[in-house]
Amino acid sequence: MIDTNSWNSQLYDTKMSFVSEFGKGILDWLQAKPGETILDIGCGTGDLSHELAGMGAKPTGIDFSEEMIKAAQKKYPELPFYVADAQSYRSPDSFDAVFSNAALHWMRQPEKVAESVWLALRPGGRFVAEFGGAGNVATVIEKIRIVLASEGVDANERMPWYFPTISSYSTILEHQGFSVTLAQLFERPTPLPDGERGILHWLNAFCAPFFIGMSAAEKEAAYRDIADELKPLLFHNGAWVIDYKRIRVAAVKPAGRKNS
Ligand code: BEZ
């Protein structure tokens, strides 16, 4: 997992608020019921935990970023939020459901996440998640690769993301013991706010691991080069539209299966 402690919660809430907005779609898969306890993995600044609380559920949010958790605690002081790495998270409580939006692609050890989710759920509990799937932001990655290669940097060695196919991710869950009940991979072209500058905010918010070791000026120049390469492909009618692809999964920990 990359060091998301450097994340800027303000930038996230102002320029990247579409992350939580789109996440509301996956809440339809979760179908949270009043009184249910729900673990929200990668809760960010807490907006979807807050939505869940509004439905009468009892969410607990965890995130690897201290800054995000501080922002979530400030926005929603009535809700429990903790700094934790979902790849090693263990809870004293059993949850009715585990939920995650736009976070699991940051965790490069998916088997460990699956184990944490399994151990956090009660038998019969469900896991519902949405994140970047195979082919996600492929156009952007290709241009980052080209620009970094011109600086002698191999972007593959710095890849911070995990974007699985449906079959490879379902296999991981099934190996853990889950029954996968639904899985979907779909395109979600995603408009960025702020006109021409949208892509620069996006690169700045999410792509730090690719640019480690560069000065601010070098980074700025690389961002400009990437934007120039991408413009004919992803900039239309005054707005950037990024080639997001999402994977959605729903899985159940079979009733009668205890933790081993
Ligand atoms: C995503 O939500 O798919 C995503 C966000 C930031 C970087 C890469 C992917």
Side-chain angles (χ1 to χ4, degrees), residues 105-106 136 161 163 202 206 244 246:
H105 49 251
W106 292 104
N136 194 36
W161 306 312
F163 297 141
W202 193 90
F206 295 130
Y244 275 28
R246 311 318 274 169

PDB file of all heavy atoms in Angstrom, residues 105-106 136 161 163 202 206 244 246, ligand 1:
ATOM      1  N   HIS A 105      -8.476  -0.651  -4.606  1.00  0.00           N
ATOM      2  CA  HIS A 105      -7.412  -0.647  -5.629  1.00  0.00           C
ATOM      3  C   HIS A 105      -6.102  -0.069  -5.096  1.00  0.00           C
ATOM      4  O   HIS A 105      -5.071  -0.178  -5.744  1.00  0.00           O
ATOM      5  CB  HIS A 105      -7.858   0.080  -6.909  1.00  0.00           C
ATOM      6  CG  HIS A 105      -8.463   1.413  -6.672  1.00  0.00           C
ATOM      7  ND1 HIS A 105      -9.801   1.674  -6.842  1.00  0.00           N
ATOM      8  CD2 HIS A 105      -7.901   2.578  -6.274  1.00  0.00           C
ATOM      9  CE1 HIS A 105     -10.049   2.938  -6.566  1.00  0.00           C
ATOM     10  NE2 HIS A 105      -8.918   3.511  -6.215  1.00  0.00           N
ATOM     11  N   TRP A 106      -6.145   0.533  -3.897  1.00  0.00           N
ATOM     12  CA  TRP A 106      -4.907   1.028  -3.287  1.00  0.00           C
ATOM     13  C   TRP A 106      -4.198  -0.051  -2.479  1.00  0.00           C
ATOM     14  O   TRP A 106      -3.112   0.178  -1.947  1.00  0.00           O
ATOM     15  CB  TRP A 106      -5.205   2.220  -2.366  1.00  0.00           C
ATOM     16  CG  TRP A 106      -5.650   3.452  -3.099  1.00  0.00           C
ATOM     17  CD1 TRP A 106      -6.927   3.929  -3.189  1.00  0.00           C
ATOM     18  CD2 TRP A 106      -4.840   4.357  -3.859  1.00  0.00           C
ATOM     19  NE1 TRP A 106      -6.952   5.064  -3.961  1.00  0.00           N
ATOM     20  CE2 TRP A 106      -5.685   5.355  -4.380  1.00  0.00           C
ATOM     21  CE3 TRP A 106      -3.469   4.418  -4.148  1.00  0.00           C
ATOM     22  CZ2 TRP A 106      -5.220   6.411  -5.169  1.00  0.00           C
ATOM     23  CZ3 TRP A 106      -3.006   5.468  -4.934  1.00  0.00           C
ATOM     24  CH2 TRP A 106      -3.879   6.444  -5.437  1.00  0.00           C
ATOM     25  N   ASN A 136      -8.890  -0.053 -15.746  1.00  0.00           N
ATOM     26  CA  ASN A 136      -9.195   1.260 -15.166  1.00  0.00           C
ATOM     27  C   ASN A 136      -8.101   2.282 -15.511  1.00  0.00           C
ATOM     28  O   ASN A 136      -6.909   1.951 -15.461  1.00  0.00           O
ATOM     29  CB  ASN A 136      -9.298   1.116 -13.639  1.00  0.00           C
ATOM     30  CG  ASN A 136      -9.940   2.316 -12.977  1.00  0.00           C
ATOM     31  OD1 ASN A 136     -10.858   2.926 -13.523  1.00  0.00           O
ATOM     32  ND2 ASN A 136      -9.469   2.653 -11.790  1.00  0.00           N
ATOM     33  N   TRP A 161      -1.434   0.755  -7.936  1.00  0.00           N
ATOM     34  CA  TRP A 161      -2.824   0.292  -7.962  1.00  0.00           C
ATOM     35  C   TRP A 161      -2.966  -1.176  -8.323  1.00  0.00           C
ATOM     36  O   TRP A 161      -2.131  -1.737  -9.033  1.00  0.00           O
ATOM     37  CB  TRP A 161      -3.634   1.117  -8.969  1.00  0.00           C
ATOM     38  CG  TRP A 161      -3.555   2.585  -8.739  1.00  0.00           C
ATOM     39  CD1 TRP A 161      -3.722   3.235  -7.542  1.00  0.00           C
ATOM     40  CD2 TRP A 161      -3.269   3.604  -9.712  1.00  0.00           C
ATOM     41  NE1 TRP A 161      -3.566   4.593  -7.726  1.00  0.00           N
ATOM     42  CE2 TRP A 161      -3.287   4.838  -9.043  1.00  0.00           C
ATOM     43  CE3 TRP A 161      -3.020   3.586 -11.077  1.00  0.00           C
ATOM     44  CZ2 TRP A 161      -3.056   6.053  -9.687  1.00  0.00           C
ATOM     45  CZ3 TRP A 161      -2.774   4.797 -11.735  1.00  0.00           C
ATOM     46  CH2 TRP A 161      -2.803   6.004 -11.034  1.00  0.00           C
ATOM     47  N   PHE A 163      -5.875  -3.416 -10.124  1.00  0.00           N
ATOM     48  CA  PHE A 163      -7.124  -3.357 -10.886  1.00  0.00           C
ATOM     49  C   PHE A 163      -7.424  -4.757 -11.444  1.00  0.00           C
ATOM     50  O   PHE A 163      -7.033  -5.080 -12.574  1.00  0.00           O
ATOM     51  CB  PHE A 163      -6.994  -2.374 -12.062  1.00  0.00           C
ATOM     52  CG  PHE A 163      -6.739  -0.930 -11.686  1.00  0.00           C
ATOM     53  CD1 PHE A 163      -5.868  -0.146 -12.445  1.00  0.00           C
ATOM     54  CD2 PHE A 163      -7.385  -0.340 -10.608  1.00  0.00           C
ATOM     55  CE1 PHE A 163      -5.648   1.191 -12.133  1.00  0.00           C
ATOM     56  CE2 PHE A 163      -7.161   0.996 -10.275  1.00  0.00           C
ATOM     57  CZ  PHE A 163      -6.294   1.764 -11.041  1.00  0.00           C
ATOM     58  N   TRP A 202      -6.257  15.943 -10.543  1.00  0.00           N
ATOM     59  CA  TRP A 202      -6.364  14.480 -10.421  1.00  0.00           C
ATOM     60  C   TRP A 202      -4.976  13.858 -10.259  1.00  0.00           C
ATOM     61  O   TRP A 202      -4.755  13.020  -9.382  1.00  0.00           O
ATOM     62  CB  TRP A 202      -7.091  13.919 -11.655  1.00  0.00           C
ATOM     63  CG  TRP A 202      -7.521  12.492 -11.494  1.00  0.00           C
ATOM     64  CD1 TRP A 202      -8.708  12.041 -10.999  1.00  0.00           C
ATOM     65  CD2 TRP A 202      -6.768  11.313 -11.835  1.00  0.00           C
ATOM     66  NE1 TRP A 202      -8.744  10.663 -11.004  1.00  0.00           N
ATOM     67  CE2 TRP A 202      -7.565  10.195 -11.523  1.00  0.00           C
ATOM     68  CE3 TRP A 202      -5.500  11.101 -12.369  1.00  0.00           C
ATOM     69  CZ2 TRP A 202      -7.139   8.875 -11.721  1.00  0.00           C
ATOM     70  CZ3 TRP A 202      -5.063   9.795 -12.565  1.00  0.00           C
ATOM     71  CH2 TRP A 202      -5.884   8.697 -12.241  1.00  0.00           C
ATOM     72  N   PHE A 206      -3.855  11.875  -6.797  1.00  0.00           N
ATOM     73  CA  PHE A 206      -3.816  10.409  -6.792  1.00  0.00           C
ATOM     74  C   PHE A 206      -2.526   9.761  -7.292  1.00  0.00           C
ATOM     75  O   PHE A 206      -2.369   8.546  -7.150  1.00  0.00           O
ATOM     76  CB  PHE A 206      -4.963   9.868  -7.665  1.00  0.00           C
ATOM     77  CG  PHE A 206      -6.334  10.168  -7.138  1.00  0.00           C
ATOM     78  CD1 PHE A 206      -7.303  10.732  -7.958  1.00  0.00           C
ATOM     79  CD2 PHE A 206      -6.680   9.870  -5.824  1.00  0.00           C
ATOM     80  CE1 PHE A 206      -8.588  11.003  -7.483  1.00  0.00           C
ATOM     81  CE2 PHE A 206      -7.957  10.135  -5.344  1.00  0.00           C
ATOM     82  CZ  PHE A 206      -8.913  10.701  -6.171  1.00  0.00           C
ATOM     83  N   TYR A 244     -12.529   5.732 -16.305  1.00  0.00           N
ATOM     84  CA  TYR A 244     -12.681   4.818 -15.161  1.00  0.00           C
ATOM     85  C   TYR A 244     -13.394   3.532 -15.601  1.00  0.00           C
ATOM     86  O   TYR A 244     -14.310   3.557 -16.435  1.00  0.00           O
ATOM     87  CB  TYR A 244     -13.540   5.469 -14.067  1.00  0.00           C
ATOM     88  CG  TYR A 244     -12.789   6.358 -13.100  1.00  0.00           C
ATOM     89  CD1 TYR A 244     -11.632   7.030 -13.464  1.00  0.00           C
ATOM     90  CD2 TYR A 244     -13.253   6.527 -11.797  1.00  0.00           C
ATOM     91  CE1 TYR A 244     -10.967   7.843 -12.561  1.00  0.00           C
ATOM     92  CE2 TYR A 244     -12.593   7.344 -10.890  1.00  0.00           C
ATOM     93  CZ  TYR A 244     -11.443   7.994 -11.273  1.00  0.00           C
ATOM     94  OH  TYR A 244     -10.797   8.798 -10.382  1.00  0.00           O
ATOM     95  N   ARG A 246     -15.048   0.232 -13.378  1.00  0.00           N
ATOM     96  CA  ARG A 246     -15.297  -0.217 -11.997  1.00  0.00           C
ATOM     97  C   ARG A 246     -15.571  -1.709 -11.941  1.00  0.00           C
ATOM     98  O   ARG A 246     -16.198  -2.283 -12.845  1.00  0.00           O
ATOM     99  CB  ARG A 246     -16.525   0.478 -11.381  1.00  0.00           C
ATOM    100  CG  ARG A 246     -16.590   1.942 -11.516  1.00  0.00           C
ATOM    101  CD  ARG A 246     -15.292   2.630 -11.280  1.00  0.00           C
ATOM    102  NE  ARG A 246     -14.990   2.948  -9.903  1.00  0.00           N
ATOM    103  CZ  ARG A 246     -13.791   3.370  -9.500  1.00  0.00           C
ATOM    104  NH1 ARG A 246     -12.794   3.479 -10.346  1.00  0.00           N
ATOM    105  NH2 ARG A 246     -13.577   3.666  -8.243  1.00  0.00           N
TER     106      ARG A 246
HETATM  107  C1  BEZ B   1     -10.268   5.056  -9.026  1.00  0.00           C
HETATM  108  O1  BEZ B   1     -11.104   5.421  -8.198  1.00  0.00           O
HETATM  109  O2  BEZ B   1     -10.515   4.215  -9.877  1.00  0.00           O
HETATM  110  C2  BEZ B   1      -8.912   5.620  -8.984  1.00  0.00           C
HETATM  111  C3  BEZ B   1      -8.649   6.717  -8.235  1.00  0.00           C
HETATM  112  C4  BEZ B   1      -7.377   7.208  -8.207  1.00  0.00           C
HETATM  113  C5  BEZ B   1      -6.393   6.628  -8.927  1.00  0.00           C
HETATM  114  C6  BEZ B   1      -6.667   5.533  -9.685  1.00  0.00           C
HETATM  115  C7  BEZ B   1      -7.930   5.034  -9.719  1.00  0.00           C
END
